[in-house]
């Protein structure tokens, strides 16, 4: 179809076809930079030579840019310019010469920008526009040398010497000294097609990373066209989906009567190969249906491959889903997301856990843990810290009553009325308990703009004297809307749902909100969530909403930069999961002073001002156990404001009370 595909595929070439010449003059030569984007395939072996060098006086080429046995990229000196250059014949010398190396493994199946800046006296290696390292070398060019001018050195790739280097290269260019590597990085990034797995709907994720889809049930996947630096690309292209066997990558073949993969477009189902979907603003949502059970295909898993129509068969212009197991229809696989017209009530857990000590994190560079607890008694909350009350019951389980008084006006009448947040409403919120606060927030977010909610949050913080109230108020709209959607997807209008059918939905929402798809929830995490919800075998809406008001603020905190890195970390495991105060104390019994564990306290339920906070439980110098709370909003806002702020783990270890991370010991 003419005019549909506008991808300039001629910009991309095989790595093995790469070759450039650089002219060197002893009078005019200062430095040059070789810049390019490279996409290495998984078939690349290590060690491998990516780019080689040769000039007229050499009979054998020498390495210039290599990947060592640890998959780190190394930049070596030039034989024409530097005394330390490797001997082309003696391969053992290649690992002994001065070089510049990357700090981490070079990624495969991903576009990476490489910049090699070479001068008479130094070399620099850049990765994705950032300098990785610098090495000083000795120049061979002196005032007394009189080479034939100009002297030329060739840089090229031949696929390695005895090893396989397979990949693609784009926008390779030799820049003069006046041009910067960073400018080349931003100039013309290559394109990349991907599946936004966090936005999938109607599909479950198993512990082994395999998706489960119900046979002949619609599910959706979002496909995104972006450039290598993450910016959406607005191209007038069409994308085609196909079904592959995951073990052989061969297109799945079913009965001739029905296509193996169907796509729904404008309410009508088509064979996926016959109905490409056009991207809009670099994105499109595919509504798909698999027509064959995995059990009918020797229990094989499937892959859904997406490719740009009328474009060359480049791997970076294709995208694949997770492996998919197609199963018979079961009630725990959710339908497509539905946006509700009204918000639902979200009740709260009445907690019996004793409150932890409250404090503020007041420094950008350090965390002030605050005053220690004087006793272990369970004091009641005062001022801005209200103890959650018993959950109220509402007349309609699928909706909510915003006022205690009769509200008989119609929707059309309400839409014409401007909801004003009066001073009395602000004072009611400041003086109310947790239930009063939640009811007011539902009313306000359902009738006010984002700017009005923000102003309300600022006023509450001002009148209450507690700035961290605004953190919970500002998340109210998203918390309520996400919780409403989640329950609609889980319940399918059923009043009771099996807990085992709820956990998959909970996990997917949690991983999406927390912006962390690499860490799944454990069995122990789900058991604590079940305890918070107050349910047993079956879950009601009230149970779900109790759990959601604890889980959403936790996921929201994890999504923040400082906490996200700690949550992702597996070695060491800074945050081991959802644990109780008792489990933390049990694990620290008999440990050395300074040993600590991070946890999310289960007594902090939205809209409590400390919902989603982190608590440090640690062994003090007096060998007693102490509990100190970190103010997530203050810490994260400081780190986002100051680029040189330390990682949270470094700030923790800088505290005199904390010296060693503890481990959770679960009693069975």
């Amino acid at each position: 179809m003419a005019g549909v595909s506008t991808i300039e595929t001629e910009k991309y070439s095989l790595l093995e076809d790469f070759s450039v010449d650089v002219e060197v003059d002893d009078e005019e030569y200062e430095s040059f930079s070789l810049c390019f984007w490279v996409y290495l395939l998984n078939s690349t072996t290590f060690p491998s030579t990516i780019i080689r060098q040769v000039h007229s006086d050499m009979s054998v080429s020498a390495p210039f840019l290599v990947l060592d046995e640890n998959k780190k990229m190394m930049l070596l000196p030039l034989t024409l310019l530097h005394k330390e250059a490797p001997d082309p014949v003696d391969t053992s010398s290649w690992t002994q010469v001065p070089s510049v190396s990357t700090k981490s493994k070079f990624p495969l199946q991903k576009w990476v920008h490489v910049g090699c800046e070479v001068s008479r006296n130094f070399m620099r290696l850049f990765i994705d526009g950032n300098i990785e390292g610098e090495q000083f070398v000795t120049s061979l060019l002196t005032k007394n040398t009189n080479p034939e001018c100009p002297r030329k050195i060739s840089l090229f790739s031949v696929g390695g010497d005895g090893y396989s280097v397979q990949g693609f290269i784009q926008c390779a260019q030799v820049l003069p000294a006046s041009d910067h590597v960073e400018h080349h990085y931003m100039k013309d990034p290559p394109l990349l097609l991907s599946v936004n797995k966090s936005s999938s709907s109607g599909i479950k994720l198993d512990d082994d990373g395999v998706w489960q889809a119900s046979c002949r049930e619609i599910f959706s996947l979002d496909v995104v066209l972006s450039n290598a630096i993450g910016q959406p690309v607005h191209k007038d292209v069409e994308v085609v989906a196909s079904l592959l066997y995951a073990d052989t990558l061969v297109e799945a073949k079913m009965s001739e009567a029905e296509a193996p993969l169907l796509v729904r477009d404008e309410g009508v189902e088509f064979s996926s190969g016959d109905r490409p979907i056009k991207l809009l603003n670099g994105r499109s949502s595919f509504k798909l249906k698999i027509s064959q059970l995995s059990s009918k295909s020797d229990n094989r898993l499937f892959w859904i491959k997406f490719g740009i129509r009328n474009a060359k068969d480049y791997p970076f212009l294709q995208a694949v889903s997770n492996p998919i197991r197609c199963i018979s229809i079961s009630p725990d696989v959710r339908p497509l997301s539905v946006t509700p017209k009204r918000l639902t009530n979200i009740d709260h857990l009445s907690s019996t856990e004793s409150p932890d000590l409250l404090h503020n994190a007041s420094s950008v560079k350090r965390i002030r843990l605050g005053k220690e607890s004087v006793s272990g008694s369970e004091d009641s909350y005062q001022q801005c810290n209200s103890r959650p009350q018993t959950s109220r019951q509402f007349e309609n389980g699928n909706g909510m009553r915003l006022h205690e008084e009769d509200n008989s006006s119609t929707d059309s009448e309400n839409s014409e009325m401007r909801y004003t947040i009066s001073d009395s409403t602000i004072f009611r919120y400041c003086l109310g308990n947790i239930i009063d606060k939640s009811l007011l927030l539902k009313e306000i977010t359902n009738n006010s703009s984002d700017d009005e909610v923000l102003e309300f949050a600022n006023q509450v913080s001002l009148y209450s004297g507690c700035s961290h109230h605004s953190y919970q108020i500002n998340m109210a709209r998203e918390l309520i809307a996400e919780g409403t959607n989640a329950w609609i997807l889980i319940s399918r209008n059923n009043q009771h749902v099996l807990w085992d059918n709820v956990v998959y939905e909970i996990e997917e929402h949690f991983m999406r909100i927390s912006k962390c798809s690499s860490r799944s929830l454990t069995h122990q995490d789900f058991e604590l969530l079940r305890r918070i919800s107050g349910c047993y075998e079956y879950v009601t809406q009230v149970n779900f909403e109790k759990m959601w008001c604890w889980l959403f603020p936790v996921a929201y905190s994890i999504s923040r930069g400082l906490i996200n890195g700690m949550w992702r970390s597996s070695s060491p495991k800074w945050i081991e999961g959802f644990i109780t105060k008792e489990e933390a104390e049990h694990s620290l019994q008999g440990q050395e002073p300074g040993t600590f564990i991070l946890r999310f306290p289960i007594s902090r339920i939205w809209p409590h001002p400390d919902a989603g906070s982190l608590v440090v439980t640690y062994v003090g110098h007096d060998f007693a156990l102490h509990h100190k709370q970190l103010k997530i909003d203050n810490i994260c806002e400081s780190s986002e404001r100051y680029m040189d702020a330390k990682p949270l783990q470094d700030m923790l270890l800088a505290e005199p009370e904390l010296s060693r991370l503890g481990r959770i010991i679960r009693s069975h």
Side-chain angles (χ1 to χ4, degrees), residues 515-534:
K515 299 179 182 179
C516 181
S517 59
S518 60
R519 178 172 177 177
S520 303
L521 297 180
T522 65
H523 174 73
Q524 289 81 6
D525 294 334
F526 282 118
E527 284 303 305
L528 182 59
L529 292 178
R530 188 206 291 258
R531 170 179 167 179
I532 292 174
S533 71

Side-chain angles (χ1 to χ4, degrees), residues 97 134 160 166 175 231 332 485 629 652-653:
V97 301
E134 182 180 51
Q166 299 185 26
L175 304 178
Q231 299 169 330
D332 56 326
N485 285 335
Q629 184 168 297
L652 286 169
L653 292 173

Side-chain angles (χ1 to χ4, degrees), residues 5 46 104 114 119 140 159 215 257 372 374 398 490 497 617 640:
S5 178
F46 306 93
S104 57
V114 178
S119 171
L140 287 174
C215 184
E372 296 189 4
V374 177
N398 293 321
I490 290 171
V497 184
T617 298
E640 293 163 0

Side-chain angles (χ1 to χ4, degrees), residues 4-33:
V4 173
S5 178
T6 58
I7 302 297
E8 299 172 353
T9 54
E10 64 275 5
K11 297 191 303 183
Y12 309 104
S13 59
L14 293 174
L15 178 60
E16 64 185 41
D17 295 333
F18 165 75
S19 178
V20 297
D21 294 333
V22 182
E23 293 185 352
V24 178
D25 187 290
D26 66 321
E27 294 181 356
E28 299 179 1
Y29 174 79
E30 292 182 2
S31 68
F32 72 90
S33 296

Side-chain angles (χ1 to χ4, degrees), residues 137-206:
V137 287
T138 307
S139 174
L140 287 174
L141 297 180
T142 66
K143 294 182 179 180
N144 297 325
T145 58
N146 186 25
E148 295 182 3
C149 184
R151 302 183 69 188
K152 183 174 67 175
I153 188 166
S154 297
L155 303 175
F156 63 97
S157 175
V158 293
D161 35 23
Y163 298 98
S164 175
V165 181
Q166 299 185 26
F168 297 86
I169 195 167
Q170 190 252 0
C171 201
Q173 189 176 4
V174 176
L175 304 178
S178 57
D179 288 357
H180 297 287
V181 174
E182 297 88 340
H183 295 165
H184 187 274
Y185 170 67
M186 299 296 297
K187 182 179 179 181
D188 187 21
L191 302 185
L192 182 70
L193 190 70
S194 62
V195 177
N196 186 358
K197 297 176 182 178
S198 64
S199 65
S200 62
S201 178
I203 205 162
K204 296 190 308 182
L205 179 66
D206 288 348

Side-chain angles (χ1 to χ4, degrees), residues 514-516 557-569:
S514 65
K515 299 179 182 179
C516 181
S557 294
I558 293 174
S559 71
R560 308 291 290 272
L562 287 179
I563 311 300
N564 195 264
M566 298 182 73
W567 178 258
R568 290 173 181 268
S569 175

Side-chain angles (χ1 to χ4, degrees), residues 483-542:
T484 301
N485 285 335
W487 177 248
I488 290 175
L489 297 174
I490 290 171
S491 66
R492 294 188 175 183
N493 295 323
N494 295 317
Q495 295 184 352
H496 298 79
V497 184
L498 278 172
W499 171 259
D500 291 340
N501 296 343
V502 173
V503 294
Y504 299 102
E505 183 72 32
I506 293 174
E507 183 176 58
E508 179 158 347
H509 277 77
F510 173 81
M511 294 172 73
R512 177 175 53 80
I513 296 167
S514 65
K515 299 179 182 179
C516 181
S517 59
S518 60
R519 178 172 177 177
S520 303
L521 297 180
T522 65
H523 174 73
Q524 289 81 6
D525 294 334
F526 282 118
E527 284 303 305
L528 182 59
L529 292 178
R530 188 206 291 258
R531 170 179 167 179
I532 292 174
S533 71
C535 73
Y536 295 94
E537 184 178 0
Y538 288 90
V539 184
T540 66
Q541 183 177 0
V542 172

